[in-house]
Amino acid sequence: MAVEKGPKLDWGVLAGADLSAKQFTFVKFDGATDDEVISVSAVTDFALGVLNNAPTQGQEAEVVLTGVVKVKLGGTVARDDGIGAKADGTGIKAAS
């Protein structure tokens, strides 16, 4: 069951690509401009935060930086596991 409660810090930034199908996945800065976000595309990418809306390119992306937020999972994650990003932006159990 997904739960979102408690304080969270989010940030509005432009979507550098169509992220309408990427809600609740990890995003990163677009390396070309560093003032827009795009979906995480490799497990080695530094994830900025979790996309909390579904913007198209040029629209405002609401990125949750800290706090409790829904995340689409791409694998099994147990309670108290750390979460990392998979190449498609979904969450997986973080490596130790």
Side-chain angles (χ1 to χ4, degrees):
M1 178 173 167
V3 175
E4 283 187 273
K5 57 184 181 180
K8 66 182 179 194
L9 175 63
D10 55 4
W11 179 50
V13 62
L14 289 179
D18 181 2
L19 301 176
S20 59
K22 294 292 186 173
Q23 186 175 20
F24 306 128
T25 64
F26 289 95
V27 293
K28 65 179 183 174
F29 278 120
D30 178 359
T33 64
D34 284 341
D35 61 353
E36 298 178 341
V37 292
I38 58 174
S39 181
V40 166
S41 57
V43 295
T44 55
D45 286 347
F46 177 79
L48 174 65
V50 176
L51 184 64
N52 206 34
N53 64 343
T56 57
Q57 186 169 7
Q59 290 183 322
E60 182 178 3
E62 180 186 321
V63 180
V64 178
L65 305 174
T66 64
V68 179
V69 64
K70 295 177 188 176
V71 175
K72 282 185 186 174
L73 297 178
T76 302
V77 177
R79 177 177 287 227
D80 296 326
D81 283 344
I83 297 179
K86 210 170 141 179
D88 64 359
T90 59
I92 57 172
K93 180 178 177 178
S96 300

